[in-house]
Amino acid sequence: MSSHREIEEKWRSRWETSRVFEADPDPKKQKVFVTFPYPYMNGPLHVGHAFTATRVDVYARFRRMQGYNVLWPWGWHWTGQPLLGASQRVAKGDEAYIRVLREVDGVPEEELKRFVDPLYMAQYYTNEGRAIARRIGFSVDWRREFTTVWPTYQKFIEWQYANLREKGYVTKGTHPVVWCPKDKSPTGDHDRQIGEGVTPEEYVLIKYKLDEKTFLPAATFRPETIYGVTNMWINPDADYVEASVNGETWIVSGEAAEKLKEQERSVEVKRSFKGRELIGKTFENPLTHKRFPILPGWFVDAKTATGVVYSVPAHAPFDWLALRDLQQKPEVLQEFNVDVAMVQAIKPISLIKVEGYGDYPAVEIVVEMGIKDQHDSKADEATKALYKKEFHGGVLKENCGAYAGKSVREAKDTLILDFKQMGVADRMYDLPEPVVCRCMTPCIVKVLSDQWFLNYSDAQWKAQAKAVVAQMRICPESAKPWFYTVIDWLKEWACARTTGFGTPLPWGQGWIIETLSDSTVYMAFYTVNKHIRQNDIKPESLTREVFDYVFLGKNNPEELAKETGITADLLREMRAEFLYWYPLDLRNSAKELVPNHLTFCIFHHAALFPPEHWPRAMGVNGMLMIEGKQMHKSKGNFITMKGAVDKYGADATRCALLLGAEGMDDPDWRAENALDIQGKFESLLGFTGNILAGAKDPEVGPLERWLQSRLQRRIGEVTAALEELKTRTALQSALFDTWNDIRYYIQRKEKADSATLNEAVKVWLKLLAPFAPYLCEEAWSKTGDAGFISLAAWPQMDPAKVDVAAEEQENFIADVIEDTLNILRATKIAPKRVCFYVAVPWKQIIFRKILEKAVAGEAKIGEVMKALAADPMVKPHMKEAAALAPKVIKALTKLSGERKANLLQLKELDEKAILQSAVGFLKDRFNAEVSVFGEDDQDRYDPKNRAALAMSNQPAIFVE
RNA sequence: GCAGGGGUCGCCGAGCAUGGUCAAAGGCGUAGGCUUCAGGAGCCUAUCCUGUAGAGGUUCGUGGGUUCAAAUCCCACCCCCUGCACCA
């Protein structure tokens, strides 16, 4: 196996024997507590986990080197449904699935057999996961580890829910779900054969009266249109029933009657009949008590909602089209014995005023879009377009009773509420598209009753959650508004279910706590789990009162000791440990968890803990892509963490991931990049080794000062980036930019033996250590400095070492090289000789005068000339100065503000000396003889008279 | 549909908050040279177009606008990614 493996094993075992990542409270040190959402253990850790967790690890390592006491714990998520499902698929002998386990996850045959036990499966993946998390170099304190089915953890969850309930955040209610009648369980997206993403829609049922005791509940999304009803549509060929629904007599489709049974209603079908029986009868609008006819509508789908639809031809294209059809085809009406004249007299009733349309928008849009009849596919499109337009921009007209003058948008919700109160409206759920369960059974909507909810709708709770966000740092900052949006958007969340692994709801028989709801404040549990494990505290001792003491400071440890058998000292220690580590300093996850887990974490902290224990920062990052595509086991592009680390080594895997992206952008894993980094690291080890082993010349000249100065900037950049969790920026600066500086120094110096370089390499290794810890430990061991680099002091930026003069000197050389190369490129000369001519002193005065003006604001030519004329040195050369000044002004516009300020601040650069000192370097660079002259040197070689073109900061150049 | 994030020179990606310093960092790829050489790797140079002197031209999703000046600000449009609830 390659060398990275040996190095990794060596340092990992040294870290572990020295317990460098085990963190205990230390009052002398400031703490940093970082976490990563525990991964779900129905499969192996993959490179997506690696990406997110590496960001946490880099931050942990960075803070640790800065001298903080860093706690970075880890846990494993076992509660929930998928683990059971996975195990069952193995038990059933699902070939495709087993092949994935074998080939992608790399599960050995003898283990695979035991996966029929879901807990065994979880344990297997947990063991594998722990091993690879260690191998990739995560600096975790493993003493605090747990899985979510441990009884001690479940006691913690019980504590959490007892307190949440007491504070009124857990409520009971009903909830519609997509339901498989065969499995008798909710059918989540992942359990569906057909209909992914389909959710129940709530229809408003307007209870029109057929007669004094019989209702026709017509389904609609637009209850406000009740004011514009002109008739009812019934499909004459569909089956309808008369049924007793919660004691009332309803007429609905046969399908609807069945559906209503699952929606908390007692339904008793009295008789069945064809829709045509109703045609020609009349019904009463319950608001206006006017009566309207029931007409035949074949477009009415009995499978949708109640199969009863009311007609608003002014605003609904379908209604208008169907009505027009009938008006034009009296023979149809005659067949049903309907009074033709009466139908032909029906006029649309306008009730919504909307910009761009007159009284009858439906009529207009039908003409506008050239829709022929109700079978035209464009009719659907027109319906949607008009609905949207009227909802967003429509205002209810004066015929809309109490809602007249209000916008549709603002009136709708209150209107529904009012109608329900008046007994005019009811509701029904239905699916907008078919959903079929994996077991091939068509799904329905079921309203679950006695459901437990976390009441995220609670306005006060929302306000508290926002207060948490307000005091929190979000990385990147741009994600902060998203959290506020999510807090507003969240509503009641069903927090208990009946299947899967989980903690039983303390007060609810047969309910277990839903998994996203049991994983919200467990970071607190890490702080004390060390004691629970080390002292083998039994779950029954972990009463609510104990946790109330540990986390909230309630109760008396002496009394608790008597009741639970946990000593008072240990209880105090646990309390102290919690107080030391809390609050959480950083939680980082992928962005998909913002709308659920991370925001839940915020809500629950707000509910349970005082403000001083609210989380301080959260980081979110993108979703890892593989070679530009989403990673999926089924797509064959699934890369496990183990696979990557085996192939490329821990350091290269970490860095290839981090270089992919930062912020909320999705990083892309490319095998090519990982391979490249791996190669770079191999050569880096040799590169630094040679320098560290080489001679150490103590001389400190301009180049050494330059190197030190650049290094200060790199330290500043890396530190600032890491503080904001900009791991990509930080790594780029630490790896590539710093390396380039060092390479430049060596090239420019033409040797690599200075003590400064030696020190620079040490700083470099430290900057790199959080990212590539193994490599850096190995290289560090060659420095002669004792100890782990993982615990070495993070470099401090020293402003005194920032040397503007040294940097400007190199900038000057770089500019000269660029100009020269430009000339060579344009002339296509392969030079034998390159000559530079440095400007005479009075030109330098011109340069500085213009520079002063440019830095102050704007260099205007008139003012410049005035100032120049006043200078005794320049005065004799005014004619040349007049030609030179505009060129200098132009040249200066190309320099950054910072550089201009630096140049002004410096004494003049001795351009001639600088160039002369770099002759050897320039010679190599151009592969030619290099000479440096003063512009007016008597003995200069200047066959084309270029010297006179010299400007300050821009020597004249001659190549041949 | 709603919400959030994006579209930059072969690819990946900085930069856009505080307009000029932007033909636009860095990495990858590609080409040439050097070194080494079983293999690979390393180092240097070049990499939008044009140009016999340090220059000019055309670019930053599309179309408009503001400005002396726009990748950067404003408006409209197109496209991509993510999430949308009982599920981790």
Side-chain angles (χ1 to χ4, degrees):
Chain A
M1 213 31 97
S2 49
S3 64
H4 66 76
R5 192 133 195 183
E6 272 170 49
I7 292 175
E8 287 168 14
E9 268 162 30
K10 172 165 91 186
W11 291 105
R12 185 169 49 254
S13 81
R14 290 191 191 177
W15 289 334
E16 282 171 18
T17 38
S18 301
R19 300 167 175 263
V20 293
F21 305 131
E22 291 184 5
D24 294 309
D26 177 352
K28 292 190 296 296
K29 282 170 119 182
Q30 272 193 287
K31 63 89 189 181
V32 168
F33 180 23
V34 299
T35 61
F36 159 79
Y38 43 37
Y40 191 75
M41 281 297 105
N42 63 341
L45 294 179
H46 53 70
V47 281
H49 292 118
F51 172 64
T52 306
T54 299
R55 279 163 49 84
V56 179
D57 188 58
V58 165
Y59 188 79
R61 286 175 172 276
F62 161 64
R63 290 300 192 196
R64 195 176 290 117
M65 288 175 75
Q66 280 190 321
Y68 291 96
N69 193 10
V70 175
L71 175 59
W72 166 201
W74 193 292
W76 308 97
H77 203 181
W78 288 23
T79 43
Q81 191 88 263
L83 198 47
L84 283 176
S87 173
Q88 274 163 14
R89 289 174 81 172
V90 175
K92 278 191 217 150
D94 182 332
E95 278 306 322
Y97 187 69
I98 289 170
R99 188 162 55 242
V100 167
L101 297 185
R102 203 179 277 144
E103 288 168 15
V104 179
D105 297 4
V107 182
E109 225 48 47
E110 62 275 18
E111 299 282 356
L112 205 44
K113 282 181 211 139
R114 305 184 62 180
F115 277 20
V116 294
D117 173 5
L119 291 175
Y120 186 85
M121 184 176 187
Q123 190 60 59
Y124 171 83
Y125 283 122
T126 298
N127 294 343
E128 290 287 302
R130 189 190 307 104
I132 194 58
R134 284 186 143 123
R135 279 187 59 203
I136 202 170
F138 292 157
S139 54
V140 165
D141 180 352
W142 289 103
R143 299 171 304 165
R144 298 164 190 272
E145 179 188 12
F146 61 84
T147 84
T148 55
V149 301
W150 286 14
T152 46
Y153 176 78
Q154 301 205 330
K155 293 300 283 187
F156 170 76
I157 299 301
E158 283 179 22
W159 166 80
Q160 179 187 346
Y161 272 79
N163 280 1
L164 284 173
R165 192 187 183 201
E166 193 173 275
K167 292 179 181 230
Y169 294 121
V170 186
T171 55
K172 206 173 183 182
T174 62
H175 187 65
V177 294
V178 178
W179 181 265
C180 172
K182 188 177 163 221
D183 290 350
K184 299 207 187 318
S185 76
T187 312
D189 255 2
H190 305 291
D191 300 324
R192 295 179 192 173
Q193 198 71 38
I194 301 170
E196 209 177 308
V198 177
T199 53
E201 285 185 333
E202 184 182 336
Y203 287 84
V204 176
L205 305 183
I206 303 286
K207 287 160 71 181
Y208 293 105
K209 284 182 180 166
L210 185 64
D211 53 49
E212 270 322 300
K213 56 178 189 23
T214 312
F215 292 103
L216 270 169
T220 181
F221 291 124
R222 309 183 59 184
E224 70 278 7
T225 56
I226 188 173
Y227 294 102
V229 60
T230 60
N231 61 283
M232 183 79 71
W233 299 115
I234 290 289
N235 188 330
D237 300 326
D239 293 311
Y240 286 82
V241 298
E242 185 181 309
S244 159
V245 176
N246 284 8
E248 292 178 350
T249 304
W250 285 17
I251 289 177
V252 294
S253 72
E255 288 91 341
E258 290 307 307
K259 289 173 187 168
L260 286 167
K261 286 180 185 169
E262 299 295 342
Q263 299 188 16
E264 293 208 295
R265 287 187 178 84
S266 65
V267 178
E268 198 187 325
V269 173
K270 293 275 166 54
R271 69 181 188 100
S272 300
F273 55 91
K274 288 284 176 195
R276 60 181 58 240
E277 187 184 314
L278 295 166
I279 309 298
K281 296 187 174 174
T282 62
F283 67 97
E284 182 187 302
N285 179 333
L287 287 185
T288 60
H289 304 292
K290 286 188 187 155
R291 292 197 79 86
F292 301 94
I294 299 173
L295 299 178
W298 285 270
F299 69 94
V300 173
D301 181 3
K303 290 191 179 65
T304 302
T306 52
V308 177
V309 176
Y310 69 90
S311 173
V312 189
H315 299 282
F318 269 113
D319 294 342
W320 164 241
L321 289 164
L323 180 63
R324 195 180 62 178
D325 265 8
L326 289 183
Q327 289 175 335
Q328 287 168 356
K329 292 176 191 160
E331 66 277 13
V332 175
L333 293 170
Q334 277 156 3
E335 190 195 319
F336 289 97
N337 290 322
V338 177
D339 178 354
V340 174
M342 179 269 291
V343 171
Q344 282 176 340
I346 294 176
K347 277 223 167 73
I349 300 173
S350 176
L351 72 131
I352 296 168
K353 191 171 156 52
V354 65
E355 204 186 329
Y357 291 99
D359 281 344
Y360 307 116
V363 178
E364 290 174 39
I365 202 167
V366 161
V367 175
E368 196 181 293
M369 294 179 64
I371 299 166
K372 289 191 292 287
D373 55 32
Q374 51 187 304
H375 308 293
D376 195 325
S377 63
K378 280 182 291 187
D380 204 39
E381 200 182 311
T383 301
K384 281 182 185 145
L386 191 58
Y387 175 79
K388 200 176 155 189
K389 184 129 186 138
E390 292 189 336
F391 180 73
H392 290 287
V395 175
L396 294 169
K397 291 187 174 176
E398 56 288 344
N399 57 352
C400 295
Y403 312 100
K406 289 195 177 153
S407 77
V408 173
R409 197 187 195 133
E410 64 183 348
K412 191 164 178 174
D413 287 343
T414 49
L415 177 145
I416 292 173
L417 227 62
D418 294 347
F419 284 8
K420 280 183 186 167
Q421 246 165 20
M422 291 154 65
V424 169
D426 206 323
R427 73 167 168 203
M428 172 182 183
Y429 295 99
D430 207 353
L431 297 169
E433 288 170 52
V435 175
V436 178
C437 180
R438 275 246 173 85
C439 73
M440 299 315 287
T441 311
C443 294
I444 55 163
V445 178
K446 183 174 176 71
V447 174
L448 296 178
S449 55
D450 296 338
Q451 188 42 267
W452 291 99
F453 293 96
L454 286 163
N455 189 14
Y456 294 132
S457 289
D458 186 292
Q460 272 195 326
W461 200 6
K462 278 187 195 288
Q464 283 263 297
K466 285 182 187 172
V468 176
V469 175
Q471 55 90 54
M472 218 170 37
R473 202 158 58 95
I474 307 281
C475 306
E477 195 66 34
S478 61
K480 201 160 190 170
W482 193 9
F483 279 91
Y484 288 119
T485 325
V486 170
I487 290 171
D488 279 330
W489 165 83
L490 274 174
K491 53 188 190 203
E492 292 82 0
W493 180 272
C495 64
R497 45 182 303 148
T498 51
T499 53
F501 287 125
T503 305
L505 200 65
W507 61 84
Q509 282 289 314
W511 288 104
I512 55 169
I513 294 164
E514 182 272 332
T515 67
L516 277 183
S517 305
D518 86 356
S519 54
T520 57
V521 290
Y522 66 88
M523 309 100 234
F525 188 69
Y526 285 127
T527 65
V528 295
N529 192 34
K530 180 187 86 179
H531 298 289
I532 294 174
R533 295 182 68 189
Q534 287 173 346
N535 297 286
D536 195 22
I537 297 177
K538 298 288 176 242
E540 51 275 21
S541 301
L542 293 169
T543 59
R544 183 175 171 195
E545 289 71 26
V546 165
F547 283 127
D548 272 346
Y549 169 70
V550 171
F551 296 124
L552 302 173
K554 291 183 189 167
N555 305 326
N556 177 317
E558 272 74 21
E559 280 170 30
L560 289 173
K562 273 182 239 155
E563 288 158 21
T564 65
I566 309 172
T567 67
D569 281 347
L570 181 53
L571 285 166
R572 273 191 217 96
E573 209 181 326
M574 287 165 77
R575 169 75 178 148
E577 179 123 15
F578 168 75
L579 287 175
Y580 181 78
W581 294 115
Y582 242 60
L584 184 61
D585 293 286
L586 176 71
R587 184 164 185 79
N588 185 66
S589 92
K591 62 185 176 187
E592 57 174 356
L593 297 191
V594 171
N596 43 67
H597 169 73
L598 288 180
T599 305
F600 291 3
C601 172
I602 289 166
F603 266 100
H604 287 227
H605 272 92
L608 295 167
F609 293 105
E612 65 269 23
H613 287 159
W614 289 351
R616 287 287 155 77
M618 283 188 184
V620 292
N621 51 250
M623 304 275 293
L624 188 78
M625 314 285 274
I626 302 293
E627 312 288 340
K629 295 201 178 71
Q630 266 194 314
M631 176 164 66
H632 273 303
K633 280 187 175 173
S634 57
K635 284 187 192 158
N637 66 348
F638 189 87
I639 300 181
T640 63
M641 210 154 127
K642 183 167 183 293
V645 173
D646 278 346
K647 200 160 176 188
Y648 309 103
D651 291 329
T653 300
R654 293 164 63 106
C655 293
L657 285 166
L658 293 184
L659 285 171
E662 66 189 6
M664 283 196 279
D665 295 339
D666 299 331
D668 191 12
W669 169 269
R670 307 227 161 189
E672 195 183 75
N673 291 355
L675 210 57
D676 185 71
I677 305 272
Q678 195 189 1
K680 274 200 160 38
F681 281 168
E682 269 170 36
S683 75
L684 192 148
L685 205 52
F687 181 77
T688 56
N690 286 339
I691 292 168
L692 292 168
K696 295 168 183 63
D697 180 351
E699 185 206 338
V700 178
L703 283 174
E704 285 69 34
R705 289 200 301 275
W706 175 86
L707 180 60
Q708 287 207 324
S709 184
R710 297 288 286 195
L711 211 49
Q712 300 316 306
R713 291 178 195 273
R714 299 304 175 209
I715 294 168
E717 284 166 13
V718 176
T719 309
L722 281 178
E723 278 172 359
E724 292 175 54
L725 210 63
K726 289 186 179 174
T727 44
R728 206 193 88 94
T729 302
L731 179 53
Q732 177 177 315
S733 183
L735 179 58
F736 298 118
D737 297 345
T738 310
W739 199 343
N740 285 343
D741 290 340
I742 288 174
R743 267 199 288 240
Y744 179 82
Y745 168 83
I746 292 170
Q747 213 190 329
R748 176 81 168 76
K749 182 80 179 177
E750 298 173 86
K751 48 187 172 181
D753 65 352
S754 75
T756 304
L757 178 59
N758 214 285
E759 286 306 309
V761 165
K762 287 198 207 170
V763 170
W764 183 31
L765 287 173
K766 286 186 189 175
L767 293 180
L768 214 44
F771 304 95
Y774 292 112
L775 169 88
C776 292
E777 288 289 4
E778 183 67 15
W780 187 251
S781 68
K782 309 271 163 52
T783 60
D785 287 25
F788 294 108
I789 197 170
S790 299
L791 298 175
W794 185 255
Q796 284 273 328
M797 182 179 169
D798 181 356
K801 286 189 180 157
V802 174
D803 191 325
V804 173
E807 292 204 34
E808 277 311 319
Q809 174 172 326
E810 290 313 307
N811 285 337
F812 171 68
I813 298 223
D815 288 349
V816 168
I817 290 174
E818 197 190 311
D819 281 352
T820 311
L821 287 173
N822 196 6
I823 292 168
L824 294 175
R825 205 177 306 125
T827 58
K828 301 191 172 66
I829 293 173
K832 290 191 198 60
R833 184 166 187 185
V834 178
C835 299
F836 297 108
Y837 311 92
V838 175
V840 290
W842 61 264
K843 286 188 176 172
Q844 291 177 8
I845 293 170
I846 294 178
F847 180 79
R848 291 200 71 77
K849 293 246 186 227
I850 295 175
L851 184 60
E852 276 167 30
K853 295 224 183 285
V855 169
E858 201 186 343
K860 292 207 181 92
I861 189 74
E863 291 170 28
V864 166
M865 293 316 293
K866 225 180 269 174
L868 292 179
D871 190 289
M873 284 273 284
V874 181
K875 195 145 194 223
H877 306 284
M878 278 313 283
K879 209 171 178 181
E880 294 138 287
L884 189 61
K887 287 187 190 164
V888 173
I889 291 172
K890 193 177 174 195
L892 280 175
T893 61
K894 289 200 168 175
L895 294 181
S896 70
E898 193 193 354
R899 281 199 59 193
K900 275 186 270 203
N902 287 344
L903 281 173
L904 187 63
Q905 191 197 341
L906 291 174
K907 289 188 302 183
E908 270 132 67
L909 294 174
D910 184 345
E911 297 182 10
K912 198 169 174 184
I914 293 168
L915 285 172
Q916 254 152 0
S917 77
V919 161
F921 172 62
L922 295 169
K923 226 164 111 177
D924 276 359
R925 187 72 178 70
F926 302 128
N927 195 24
E929 284 306 311
V930 172
S931 316
V932 181
F933 303 104
E935 177 183 344
D936 54 357
D937 281 0
Q938 294 302 314
D939 60 346
R940 69 179 194 270
Y941 175 74
D942 185 15
K944 289 263 172 85
N945 284 321
R946 300 280 184 203
L949 296 171
M951 292 197 289
S952 199
N953 206 42
Q954 194 171 311
I957 301 167
F958 170 69
V959 297
E960 65 174 3

